[in-house]
């Protein structure tokens, strides 16, 4: 009985640790690029973590024409001499289309909007 209990406990500990180690989005401070999922299953935001540039990436199952990558902001938010991997991070909000972009070094924050409609995507503005 004690052996069965010990075996069951070890299995539960192993399963708990294995599940806890799984993550849909693995962030690495040394990565130049990170993908952030949106609430839309076909769209991701690709962040250049060193300079704050963001593109919207859309994939498709059976339609090559529906796959695309477009820029939300093509201008770096810091000078190349200040660029550093892991400097910028994206945070989702309760609004499906809105993320907050944080400069982890100086604390500046921007509101970012993604959209299927080109006129409604980009950096809305800096939050001061």
């Amino acid at each position: 009985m004690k052996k069965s209990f010990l075996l069951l406990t070890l299995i539960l500990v192993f399963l708990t640790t294995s599940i806890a180690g799984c993550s849909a989005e693995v962030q690495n401070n040394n990565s130049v690029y990170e993908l952030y999922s949106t609430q839309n299953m076909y769209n991701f935001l690709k962040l250049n973590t060193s300079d704050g540039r963001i593109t919207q990436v859309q994939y498709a199952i059976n339609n090559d024409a529906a796959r695309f990558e477009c820029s939300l902001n093509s201008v770096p938010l810091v000078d190349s001499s200040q660029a550093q991997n892991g400097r910028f991070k994206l945070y989702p909000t309760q609004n499906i289309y809105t993320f907050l972009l944080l400069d982890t070094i100086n604390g500046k924050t921007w509101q970012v909007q993604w959209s299927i409609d080109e006129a409604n995507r980009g950096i809305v503005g800096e939050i001061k």
Side-chain angles (χ1 to χ4, degrees):
M1 181 68 173
K2 286 184 180 182
K3 287 182 181 180
S4 297
F5 179 75
L6 181 60
L7 181 59
L8 180 61
T9 304
L10 288 174
I11 290 172
L12 288 174
V13 168
F14 174 76
L15 288 175
T16 304
T17 346
S18 297
I19 292 170
C22 295
S23 173
E25 294 183 36
V26 177
Q27 306 291 316
N28 179 346
N29 284 339
N30 295 323
S31 298
V32 176
Y33 294 99
E34 297 282 352
L35 278 177
Y36 293 84
S37 60
T38 67
Q39 292 179 38
N40 177 302
M41 66 184 281
Y42 297 108
N43 285 275
F44 286 78
L45 298 183
K46 182 169 77 172
L47 171 66
N48 181 321
T49 67
S50 68
D51 66 14
R53 288 178 294 152
I54 306 168
T55 58
Q56 178 179 331
V57 178
Q58 180 173 297
Y59 74 94
I61 304 300
N62 294 319
N63 184 353
D64 288 345
R67 292 185 189 100
F68 69 85
E69 183 170 0
C70 62
S71 179
L72 296 186
N73 68 310
S74 58
V75 178
L77 298 175
V78 294
D79 185 81
S80 61
S81 65
Q82 298 173 324
Q84 177 180 328
N85 292 352
R87 178 173 184 152
F88 290 90
K89 295 191 182 302
L90 276 173
Y91 295 90
T93 67
Q94 293 298 313
N95 180 323
I96 184 174
Y97 301 106
T98 304
F99 281 71
L100 297 179
L101 176 64
L102 174 67
D103 182 332
T104 63
I105 293 177
N106 67 21
K108 287 184 178 180
T109 307
W110 294 266
Q111 180 179 336
V112 177
Q113 192 86 20
W114 72 269
S115 175
I116 303 303
D117 180 11
E118 186 176 344
N120 294 324
R121 59 179 161 230
I123 290 187
V124 175
E126 184 179 349
I127 299 172
K128 296 181 180 186

